[in-house]
Amino acid sequence: MAKVSVIVPVYGVEKYIERCARSLFEQTLDDIEYLFIDDCTQDKSIEILESILEEYPKRKAQVIFHRMPHNSGQAKVREWGICNATGDYVIHCDSDDWVDKEMYRLMYEKAKNEGADIVVCDYVQNDGNGNTHRFIGCHEIDTMTFLINCFYQIDSWAVWNKLCLRSLYTGIKYPIEAMGEDMVLTMQLLMNCKSVAYVSFPLYNYYINPESITKQPTIERCMRNYNQIKKNTGIIINLLSY
């Protein structure tokens, strides 16, 4: 059993997967399980990833490749990864983003030293051209206050800057659609959480991808996104009502 499982969905990221993979394989925490979930990508993302892995022979035994039976979207891919993870703690990484090489060691040590169920770090929005903006990951470590802050989006509900005890996922309701999926996961994880710890360093680089479909809105895409958010929000509304 690894100390940390890192779940990485892979789809259409041949331009970015090398940067992501190197940042993961160069982590200073040795005991990591990497789960790369191929969502039936149609480009060379997996071939590039396998080529990069050859340069890190000590990581080979820690890398597990999964392939979805059909293109399923990020919500289902993350669910698949969570269900197959074996680490004490679980964290997610998007394959067009990248992380500081100290990220998972600092967060794991923080979790163990403070007995925390969830550890949060700061993050940076990065356009890849040197333009960055730092965000505070957690303004208040009191669990209920942090949950409320995420609910009101004072703090981000993103899953990629939160190291979570794997047992927190037990019995949760997984998101149905892609839009708002982080909200569904994070809100439930915080409901199950007893203690939160905070690392006040910007350890995660969130790439603002100008080619992302979210940056190319159409009426059809916006309506689809609204409907997806509605379905996922319904999960949280039902849980909060209960």
Side-chain angles (χ1 to χ4, degrees), residues 22 27 40 60 66 69 74 103 110 127 137 154 159 197:
R22 291 191 186 280
Q27 288 296 299
C40 300
K60 282 188 175 182
H66 290 267
Q74 187 160 271
M103 179 171 177
K110 188 76 169 180
D127 69 356
I154 295 170
V159 293

Side-chain angles (χ1 to χ4, degrees), residues 7 74-80 82 90-92 118 147 150 157-160 162 164 168-193 232-233 235-236 239:
I7 298 170
Q74 187 160 271
K76 288 297 181 183
V77 170
R78 282 179 171 170
E79 180 180 349
W80 183 284
I82 293 164
V90 172
I91 196 165
H92 301 265
I118 294 178
L147 188 155
C150 287
W157 54 44
V159 293
W160 31 250
K162 297 173 181 66
C164 299
L168 296 182
Y169 283 94
T170 303
I172 70 167
K173 296 183 181 297
Y174 285 96
I176 301 169
E177 303 284 359
M179 296 301 295
E181 57 161 322
D182 288 39
M183 168 193 65
V184 175
L185 292 176
T186 296
M187 296 297 288
Q188 292 182 85
L189 292 170
L190 288 171
M191 290 176 191
N192 294 338
C193 174
N232 281 336
T233 303
I235 296 173
I236 295 302
L239 288 170

Side-chain angles (χ1 to χ4, degrees), residues 2 15 32 40 111 129 139 144-145 150 157 172 189-190 196 208 211 242:
K15 294 181 180 180
I32 303 180
C40 300
N129 295 315
H139 287 86
M144 182 56 67
T145 304
C150 287
W157 54 44
I172 70 167
L189 292 170
L190 288 171
V196 174
I208 305 300
E211 298 178 1
Y242 175 76

